[in-house]
Amino acid sequence: MCSRLTGVCSLLACLWLTALSAHAASLRPVAAERGMVVSAQHLATEVGVNVLKHDGNAVDAAVAVGYALAVAYPAAGNLGGGGFMTIRFADGRKTFLDFRERAPRAATRDMYLDKDGKVVDGLSMTGWLAVGVPGTVSGLEYARSKYGTMTRAALIDPAIDLAEDGFVLDQGDVDMLATATDDFSKFPPTGEIFLNKGQPFVAGRRLVQRDLANTLRRVRANGADGFYRGRTAEAIVKASRAGGGIIQLEDLSSYKTRELAPIECDYRGYHLISAPPPSSGGVALCEMLNILEGYPLREFGWGSAQALHYEIEAMRRAYVDRNTLLGDPTFVNNPVERLIDKGYAAKIRETISPDKAGISSDFGKDVAAHEGSNTTHFSIIDHDGNAVSLTYTLNDWFGARVVASGTGVLMNDEMDDFTASPGRINSYGIVPGEANAIAPGKIPLSSMSPTIMTKDGKVALVLGTPGGRRIITTVLQTILNVVDYQMNIQEAVDAPRLHHQWFPDVTNTEPRALSPDTRKILEGMGYRFDDSLPANHVAAIMVGAPSLDGKPVGKKRFYGANDPRRGTGLAAGY
């Protein structure tokens, strides 16, 4: 576990690494025999487990959890947003559903710029002009009708009950609502729902959302048409026009979920299935893993300066490619095969010094868009071994903070994920941000990385996380923790993290991510650190045993890990 940079390891650093890795888990992984659900909200997890108990498959449970989170986790759960679903069936088939938000037909490349060509602060983040065409209802209904086994009513009724009857707010729920109190006050239809007679809610109060219950009833009766046509669609368009937005009825009625082949790659004998463009997640994840496969990380040890040096440099290189080359495949020719090729990774390793930090400005200038970090993810596996990894989002907490009167639906601010002002051509012949420029009907580039890992033809790991651009590096480090550093799944989720995304040229860290000795070594190599990495909420399931090299606990086959960082969520099985 000692750094090869110095040839020696101080007793203090060795003891720190040993103690942290030996006691990393907040609790034991939750074990179950027949199925497992992990989500960021305990009521939604319970809905999913109940579906599995009644012979629903993993897709059925995912649909039910998706609808339940739209009620019980309004900060990020949604009907007015969109996302991605990676599915790996027990028979070996795999697929990917893209129900990400799209730019309205009236969107223009310069719609967030002033007369001087500068981005207008906040215009793409708050209010109706920030709203992209939502895809969640389309995605959930597509998945249910094609791959589910239960009726729509059976899967949506629990969410309707939660909305109609309300649920008691925990302190974590109240804390999230408090982050948007000022904006709720600015938009009366939103404040009527998420403020208690104009004041912030307190723990123990009940949040009732009867308009949302009625919207869900229209979906129950008419499927996706209950959202994209008729009363709900008309209310959204009316509110958008009144609020300066550009969504039209045709934007909603023409929305279709897209089914794509997932990104796939191999790492140290394991097979990864992840998100393709318009997500950058799978491509960047495979690129980083391919780079790191050339280094003996287990020999270096978790938290060692040498291992962290190579991990950061892999992140830096992958984000250069992510931010300059990738975009919606309908609009951009993504060089996926080249980026995930192991030969390409070998060439990248040749550019990485063994004892010196890279310099981000040597790779050009980044003008990539802001990406909201307040997404949510859930992981599910059923008795037969069908697995779903689903990440969906409103972008920022509570999205654009707007609700169409009478719908109860919080709308996304996903237009902020586009690059509002692409840069000039750089020395590499690339216009930074051009691949992610705004265009009508286009999907903004995402980092969402719902991922499934298999071994010998069977699911070994289901995982994902919110976190904006931090999603990819968080999923990466969780995989490294279980494969290279032999942690059990809860230890892997709990372990401190770091993140580098090319620009700014600084490595963000969580508390205790670096020992004092390791930090000193890395700073001597040229690294700069910022100890303010926000928390992600990883939801992960290990299959077979609590760790990849471990033994099962009795007859238990599934081991769930709920991230303790946000103080919400639940891993539960049966």
Side-chain angles (χ1 to χ4, degrees), residues 398-433:
F398 304 98
R401 316 293 175 88
V402 291
V403 171
S405 293
T407 69
V409 177
L410 267 167
M411 304 301 290
N412 67 84
D413 65 325
E414 210 63 65
M415 293 297 290
D416 193 55
D417 271 10
F418 283 111
T419 305
S421 181
R424 297 181 178 180
I425 191 167
N426 64 20
S427 59
Y428 296 90
I430 296 168
V431 179

Side-chain angles (χ1 to χ4, degrees), residues 498-563:
L498 53 78
H499 170 77
H500 198 292
Q501 60 179 40
W502 180 26
F503 277 104
D505 195 351
V506 61
T507 302
N508 301 108
T509 62
E510 288 187 316
R512 295 175 294 281
L514 302 173
S515 74
D517 300 65
T518 297
R519 183 179 185 126
K520 185 175 181 180
I521 292 169
L522 290 170
E523 288 175 339
M525 297 170 66
Y527 288 104
R528 294 185 300 119
F529 296 97
D530 177 356
D531 302 326
S532 60
L533 185 65
N536 291 33
H537 183 277
V538 175
I541 302 170
M542 186 80 77
V543 182
S547 61
L548 293 178
D549 61 346
K551 295 181 180 180
V553 178
K555 295 182 179 180
K556 305 296 174 60
R557 294 189 294 152
F558 306 120
Y559 300 85
N562 174 59
D563 199 320

Side-chain angles (χ1 to χ4, degrees), residues 122-209:
L123 199 58
S124 63
M125 297 178 66
T126 305
W128 280 99
L129 192 61
V131 179
V133 183
T136 292
V137 175
S138 173
L140 295 180
E141 286 305 304
Y142 183 99
R144 184 200 61 79
S145 63
K146 186 168 184 178
Y147 297 117
T149 65
M150 299 180 71
T151 66
R152 183 186 303 121
L155 302 180
I156 203 169
D157 277 350
I160 292 174
D161 292 341
L162 281 171
E164 182 70 31
D165 300 334
F167 64 96
V168 176
L169 294 167
D170 293 333
Q171 188 59 48
D173 301 318
V174 170
D175 290 343
M176 281 189 286
L177 288 168
T179 64
T181 295
D182 291 343
D183 283 335
F184 292 159
S185 300
K186 296 175 185 176
F187 300 103
T190 311
E192 288 174 5
I193 303 169
F194 299 110
L195 293 176
N196 184 19
K197 299 180 180 179
Q199 299 300 313
F201 275 99
V202 296
R205 301 289 298 189
R206 184 174 291 270
L207 178 62
V208 177
Q209 301 172 78

Side-chain angles (χ1 to χ4, degrees), residues 146-313:
K146 186 168 184 178
Y147 297 117
T149 65
M150 299 180 71
T151 66
R152 183 186 303 121
L155 302 180
I156 203 169
D157 277 350
I160 292 174
D161 292 341
L162 281 171
E164 182 70 31
D165 300 334
F167 64 96
V168 176
L169 294 167
D170 293 333
Q171 188 59 48
D173 301 318
V174 170
D175 290 343
M176 281 189 286
L177 288 168
T179 64
T181 295
D182 291 343
D183 283 335
F184 292 159
S185 300
K186 296 175 185 176
F187 300 103
T190 311
E192 288 174 5
I193 303 169
F194 299 110
L195 293 176
N196 184 19
K197 299 180 180 179
Q199 299 300 313
F201 275 99
V202 296
R205 301 289 298 189
R206 184 174 291 270
L207 178 62
V208 177
Q209 301 172 78
R210 292 197 174 94
D211 285 342
L212 182 56
N214 289 330
T215 295
L216 289 165
R217 288 189 181 99
R218 289 191 283 274
V219 175
R220 181 179 63 184
N222 300 300
D225 281 351
F227 184 87
Y228 294 96
R229 300 176 186 271
R231 181 174 175 178
T232 300
E234 290 166 2
I236 290 171
V237 171
K238 180 180 178 180
S240 178
R241 288 174 179 167
I246 56 175
I247 292 178
Q248 304 169 8
L249 284 173
E250 189 177 1
D251 291 315
L252 294 164
S253 64
S254 64
Y255 188 95
K256 301 294 181 185
T257 291
R258 179 164 54 177
E259 188 161 7
L260 304 168
I263 291 292
E264 300 184 58
C265 61
D266 295 300
Y267 181 69
R268 304 199 198 280
Y270 293 90
H271 188 68
L272 274 294
I273 306 162
S274 194
S279 174
S280 62
V283 174
L285 179 63
C286 286
E287 182 175 337
M288 290 186 291
L289 288 170
N290 286 341
I291 294 168
L292 293 172
E293 196 170 34
Y295 302 111
L297 298 184
R298 183 177 300 179
E299 181 181 334
F300 294 152
W302 182 89
S304 67
Q306 192 74 66
L308 293 175
H309 163 60
Y310 289 128
E311 290 171 26
I312 295 168
E313 292 307 314

Side-chain angles (χ1 to χ4, degrees), residues 264-539:
E264 300 184 58
C265 61
D266 295 300
Y267 181 69
R268 304 199 198 280
Y270 293 90
H271 188 68
L272 274 294
I273 306 162
S274 194
S279 174
S280 62
V283 174
L285 179 63
C286 286
E287 182 175 337
M288 290 186 291
L289 288 170
N290 286 341
I291 294 168
L292 293 172
E293 196 170 34
Y295 302 111
L297 298 184
R298 183 177 300 179
E299 181 181 334
F300 294 152
W302 182 89
S304 67
Q306 192 74 66
L308 293 175
H309 163 60
Y310 289 128
E311 290 171 26
I312 295 168
E313 292 307 314
M315 293 174 187
R316 189 195 311 271
R317 268 79 172 173
Y319 276 81
V320 172
D321 291 337
R322 177 221 182 265
N323 294 359
T324 58
L325 300 177
L326 299 179
D328 183 347
T330 301
F331 294 79
V332 176
N333 184 18
N334 294 287
V336 171
E337 295 305 317
R338 176 171 69 87
L339 296 180
I340 67 172
D341 183 76
K342 291 188 182 293
Y344 179 66
K347 293 179 179 178
I348 290 176
R349 283 195 296 272
E350 293 175 359
T351 71
I352 298 174
S353 166
D355 56 8
K356 185 178 180 181
I359 300 173
S360 289
S361 59
D362 288 347
F363 299 95
K365 182 180 180 182
D366 177 30
V367 296
H370 161 80
E371 184 173 353
S373 61
N374 301 308
T375 302
T376 191
H377 176 88
F378 51 93
S379 297
I380 301 174
I381 191 164
D382 63 28
H383 174 68
D384 292 324
N386 301 300
V388 171
S389 182
L390 191 155
T391 313
Y392 72 165
T393 184
L394 289 170
N395 198 39
D396 288 299
W397 278 141
F398 304 98
R401 316 293 175 88
V402 291
V403 171
S405 293
T407 69
V409 177
L410 267 167
M411 304 301 290
N412 67 84
D413 65 325
E414 210 63 65
M415 293 297 290
D416 193 55
D417 271 10
F418 283 111
T419 305
S421 181
R424 297 181 178 180
I425 191 167
N426 64 20
S427 59
Y428 296 90
I430 296 168
V431 179
E434 180 65 28
N436 193 38
I438 301 169
K442 190 176 182 179
I443 297 173
L445 185 65
S446 171
S447 295
M448 292 186 288
S449 308
T451 299
I452 298 171
M453 188 173 82
T454 66
K455 175 73 170 180
D456 299 328
K458 296 182 179 180
V459 174
L461 180 65
V462 187
L463 80 160
T465 182
R469 289 207 220 176
R470 294 178 284 108
I471 290 173
I472 306 169
T473 55
T474 298
V475 171
L476 169 75
Q477 289 165 93
T478 306
I479 291 171
L480 298 181
N481 288 345
V482 298
V483 174
D484 289 284
Y485 303 124
Q486 300 174 291
M487 296 182 191
N488 74 39
I489 189 58
Q490 191 67 58
E491 291 171 337
V493 167
D494 288 2
R497 303 172 188 137
L498 53 78
H499 170 77
H500 198 292
Q501 60 179 40
W502 180 26
F503 277 104
D505 195 351
V506 61
T507 302
N508 301 108
T509 62
E510 288 187 316
R512 295 175 294 281
L514 302 173
S515 74
D517 300 65
T518 297
R519 183 179 185 126
K520 185 175 181 180
I521 292 169
L522 290 170
E523 288 175 339
M525 297 170 66
Y527 288 104
R528 294 185 300 119
F529 296 97
D530 177 356
D531 302 326
S532 60
L533 185 65
N536 291 33
H537 183 277
V538 175

